[in-house]
Structures are given as structure tokens and as C-alpha cells.
Amino acid sequence: LIKETALKISVLGMGYMGLPTACLLANAGYKVVGIDIDKKKIEALQKKKFETTEPGLKELFLKAVKSKNLSFSNQIQPADVFLIAVPTPAKNNQIDLKYVELATKMVSEVLQEGNLVILESTVSPNTCTQFLKKILDKKQIKYFLAHCPERAIPGRTLYEIINNDRIIGALDDQSRKMTKEIYQSFVKGKIYLTDLTTAETVKLLENSFRDINIAFANEIAKISQKIGINPWEAIKLANLHPRVNILNPGPGVGGHCIPVDPWFLAQNHPEAKFIKLAREINDSMPDYIVKILEQEFQQRKIKKPKIAVLGVAYKANVDDSRETPATKIIDKMKKRNWQIKITDPFVKKYQYPLVTLGKALKNSEAAVLITDHSVYRNFNFQKYPLKFIFDTRNILTKENLSPKTKLLTFGDSLNEDLK
Ligand SMILES: NC(=O)c1ccc[n+]([C@@H]2O[C@H](COP(=O)([O-])OP(=O)(O)OC[C@H]3O[C@@H](n4cnc5c(N)ncnc54)[C@H](O)[C@@H]3O)[C@@H](O)[C@H]2O)c1
């Protein structure tokens, strides 16, 4: 038997999930090679160039590299264990398995008798047994297989990878045992064991649950808009009921998981009405917001609006703008030929140019706050005489605004007479 600490682990995909996991494994004593098909990413990592907003990750990365337990390559390396953490995007509301397919084929090239393959990527039910296993079976050797979906959230990735409870689904008892041993080296949460397909489904249930509950909050926002009440206030009071826990409305959902994963559960199932409806409601929010903004400009007879967009990250205090509803909002405003200035304190790479907050606000007639970054909560907007700010997150107060600026949230704009 190979001693646990001598195990070699090749981690495929040096992204938001794969890199921290590789660092944790290396620090636990495994010999880890981080593999990515993105050559530039690998070159940068080899030169120890790595920027992140994740607390503790840079330090952990440097420690792992220094210990010589972590190295990087853009070529697949033979190992005892292969951990796949590559993207699983949706295409036409179906899972697109092209990255998983390529990664599995790469593993298959070097797979040896007795190796363990762990899939961390989020996948649709039966992907491990019907897709991944079929590729690996072509080798006609005995190997072990597990699925260990990732539950961490950007901004708290490291903390959550370590402390969250973990589900391991596996092909057989030996695969379960081997995988548990590996995760136990850095997971402080409880580890629960099940089969491959249940583990795949559990991950999708979690994100569909979130999506459905956010859709309910967004529906409340739309109804509140008509009634003329602040939905956050109403939700806060409703949540005082011991068995009620409604989430907060907002500009829609973003990120790599929640807008995408429910489709993996719903695809091919006409029964999945709730899940699809939630997707529809959450996807409708950007259009809904732009229509409210349009109405505000029309009321003020502003024909060519100049507007600042505050925040493009999909959630507070992170640099992740994947699937952000901000892009849909910006695109809809661009279609209307509005002059838009976009700002975000964290996001470095974005498809449209970003400016500082001051520059975005200067000469703008209005602003729309998309992301609840902490800096916006305390920012003094008083020197910018905006006509209005639409706060889609309900984080601003009138005290921080110029007296000339109207503060709008859901529920505020239509029923002034009820106030
Ligand atoms: N980011 C999150 O918060 C999060 C949370 C839970 C689950 N997940 C899931 O984890 C998986 C990975 O997500 P991520 O956010 O880390 O993705 P990411 O886009 O940050 O990184 C994926 C990396 O994989 C690389 N890659 C693609 N194909 C490859 C291959 N064949 N071999 C090696 N590298 C390859 C890409 O170049 C990229 O660097 C996805 O299935 C995602 O749904 C992500």
C-alpha cells in the first residue's frame, strides 16, 4: 500500500475551485500537480503570479508552492488520484459537457490500474455513470470513481471548502473509502457517503432550492412595486414568523452556479415546472429593472439618459462577474442608446470598460446599484447631484445622498401617492 502522504494527485482545472483544493491537498502533504489547458494561467502560477480576493488563499498558495508539494503543468501528469474541477456551462438550457469530456479523455490517456478519479464539477444526474465512466471503461482496467460536488461560495471559498459538510458519491465501497480519506485531510465538516447519481442530484437540489427561493423574493418585489410597499421591510417582518425564512429580492441571480445548475436538473424533465418558472422569474429581473429606470427618465423628460452602473460582480465584495445580471441590464440600456458608465471596486476583467466610482458618478444623471459591495453602503454620494439612484439591493439611505437625489428601491417608484 502506498502511504497516504506519498500519494500523487493531479488536479485538472486551476479555477475558482480547483486551485484552492490543490493548495489544501498540497498543504495536507500530497504531491499535487495543478493542471490547466490555459497555458498563460499555468505560466503565471509557475511564476507565483496569482491575485485573488479570497481571504487566506494567496498565503496558502505561496506556502504550498514553497513546500514543493504543489507544482503546475499544462500537460496531464500520471498520478494515483485525478481530481477534475473544470467548468460545466449550460448551452441552450442543457449541460455542456465538453470540458468534462476533454478532462476525462486526458485522464484516460495516463490512467493506470488502481487509480482513483474524482469529479468535483457540477453535473447533471447520471453523468458519472453514463458519460465519464463510459470514457474511462475503454481503458479496460480496474479504477475507482467518485463524485464530490463543491459547495463553496466565492468570497468565502477557502473557509467553506474546509468547513462545509461534504457529500461523496462513489462507484463502490473502495472508491468511497479512498475518496473520504483524501477529503478528510483538509475538510473539517462532516463527510456523508452515497452513490454517484445521488451526489450529482444533491448538488443540483441545493442550487435549485436557492433559485426558487430567490424567485419567490423577486416575485414579492414585483407585487410590492404595485402595492407600493418596500419588499425588504415586508420580508423582514414576515421572517419574524418562526417557520418563515424568505430571501431578499434583487436584480436577478448570477455566478457560475445558481443561474445554470437548475437547468441540469430540469433538462429532459417536463415535470420540472417549478424549477423552470424560477429561472424565468429570476431572468426577468434585468428587463424589469430597466423598464423602471426608463419610466423614471421619461417622467423627467430625459431623452438621452446618462447613467452610472454601480457594481457588476454578481455578489457583494467579490471579483466574480460570471453570469451577472449587470451585463443583461447594461445590454438593455445600451440598446436604448443610454450613456453608461460602469464601475466596480473588485472586478478586474469585464466585457465593458470600467471606471472609478467618482468618474462613473460625475456627469451622470442617475445611478443604478446592482451589487451590494460594502463600499457603496458608506459612500458619500452628496457631492453628486443625481436625479435618482435605483438601489436594487436596498442598502443605501437618504442620509448619504444629495437632497436633490431621489432614492428608489422596489416598491418606491410607482405608488408615490400611497406614501
Ligand atoms: N465557482 C464556484 O463558486 C463553484 C461552486 C460550486 C461548484 N462549482 C463547480 O465547479 C466546477 C469548476 O468551476 P470553477 O468556478 O472552478 O471554474 P473556473 O472557470 O474558475 O475554472 C476552470 C478551469 O478549468 C480549466 N480547464 C478547462 N478544461 C480543462 C481540462 N480539460 N483540463 C484542465 N483544465 C481545464 C479552465 O481553463 C479553467 O482555468 C464547475 O462545474 C462549477 O459549476 C463552482
Side-chain angles (χ1 to χ4, degrees), residues 34-39 42 46 72-76 106:
I35 294 155
D36 205 291
I37 50 171
D38 181 342
K39 281 190 183 163
I42 291 299
Q46 283 168 337
F72 300 97
S73 172
N74 55 33
Q75 303 289 324
I76 187 71
M106 285 163 65

Side-chain angles (χ1 to χ4, degrees), residues 229-349:
I229 56 159
N230 180 310
W232 286 274
E233 171 74 0
I235 288 169
K236 194 172 81 190
L237 294 173
N239 282 347
L240 296 175
H241 183 291
R243 286 170 297 284
V244 173
N245 187 13
I246 305 171
L247 302 182
N248 285 316
V253 292
H256 199 26
C257 297
I258 297 180
V260 179
D261 297 354
W263 287 119
F264 302 171
L265 188 59
Q267 68 181 40
N268 310 325
H269 298 301
E271 299 84 354
K273 291 185 183 156
F274 223 13
I275 299 168
K276 289 174 192 159
L277 186 61
R279 285 282 64 251
E280 195 185 302
I281 294 169
N282 290 334
D283 279 351
S284 75
M285 293 312 286
D287 194 47
Y288 186 70
I289 284 163
V290 175
K291 286 199 173 128
I292 294 175
L293 294 170
E294 194 167 40
Q295 198 175 335
E296 290 294 329
F297 285 124
Q298 274 167 4
Q299 275 173 14
R300 291 171 177 81
K301 305 208 176 349
I302 297 171
K303 295 224 165 66
K304 278 208 151 191
K306 293 181 197 151
I307 186 163
V309 175
L310 312 187
V312 294
Y314 85 91
K315 69 184 280 285
N317 307 325
V318 300
D319 62 358
D320 191 344
S321 64
R322 292 179 296 175
E323 309 285 332
T324 174
T327 305
K328 287 188 196 153
I329 292 171
I330 292 164
D331 287 343
K332 285 176 195 297
M333 297 196 299
K334 276 186 181 286
K335 254 195 171 162
R336 289 166 166 80
N337 283 324
W338 296 0
Q339 282 185 39
I340 308 156
K341 290 199 183 132
I342 311 165
T343 180
D344 191 294
F346 294 98
V347 173
K348 300 259 158 25
K349 273 193 231 153

